[in-house]
Amino acid sequence: MHKKIIMACMAIAAFAAFVVAPSASALNLTENGTTVGAGASITGTSTLARFIAGGSTVTCDHNHMSGTVTTDSNGTIAGEIPVGSATFHGTAVSTDCTSNGLGPVQPTVNSKLCLHVSKSDTGTVTGCAGAAVTFTLHVTNLGIECKYEKAEIGIEITTAPADAQVKIRPGELAKGEGPNSIFCPKEGELEMEFTLTTTDGTTLAFS
């Protein structure tokens, strides 16, 4: 009898896995329930992006990214953000981002960005084609540039019924690239979250 119960539980577990698997593999980026498909233009907006490095925290509260969906089928979603299509601004002079340790900062993303999500609620952002994500913090009042890189940035996504959001996974550290100034932090944790929409503002969802 005990053996029969165990076998029945195993059968139920196998059936549940079979039922759940198609749902997980069918993850797509959708607009009003319809897959947006490769070639679609998308926009990401954010009111909070931080670079946290010990006693210095750079905060940007008006951020924007625009790019193109390159894959959206069979549970895989990928997109590209060209160089210059990611901008970060804050409330300091000339819309620089604020900082409690470095002063006004103007961030610049130097690499193209490639987003990849496959059959789960996590994914990655890279500099595309094996390249690292690279960015520069221009510390305007000191006249210095602090350059950083990260081979791969882990991300998390929110799935339907919530709006499509991409969030950097906690603990992702970017390290100094090359001979930075002694005033530049050696590394810092990245913290940001973007909500995705169409270019005309229509809500999107991961579903």
Side-chain angles (χ1 to χ4, degrees), residues 16-148:
F18 177 81
V19 171
V20 172
S23 175
S25 65
L27 183 70
N28 292 105
L29 185 61
T30 61
E31 177 186 359
N32 297 322
T34 302
T35 299
V36 297
S41 297
I42 57 174
T43 291
T45 55
S46 167
T47 57
L48 181 63
R50 290 193 179 111
F51 177 79
I52 305 167
S56 299
T57 298
V58 177
T59 302
C60 308
D61 62 3
H62 185 72
N63 317 300
H64 178 267
M65 292 187 182
S66 58
T68 304
V69 175
T70 55
T71 302
D72 193 356
S73 64
N74 298 321
T76 296
I77 303 167
E80 290 187 2
I81 300 167
V83 177
S85 295
T87 58
F88 298 85
H89 299 290
T91 57
V93 177
S94 301
T95 69
D96 284 357
C97 298
T98 58
S99 167
N100 63 349
L102 297 172
V105 173
Q106 191 177 75
T108 300
V109 178
N110 306 315
S111 57
K112 181 166 69 172
L113 302 176
C114 282
L115 178 147
H116 185 271
V117 177
S118 181
K119 301 180 182 179
S120 69
D121 59 356
T122 61
T124 59
V125 173
T126 66
C128 305
V133 174
T134 59
F135 63 94
T136 301
L137 301 181
H138 305 266
V139 186
T140 52
N141 63 331
L142 297 179
I144 62 173
E145 294 185 345
C146 302
K147 297 183 178 182
Y148 297 91

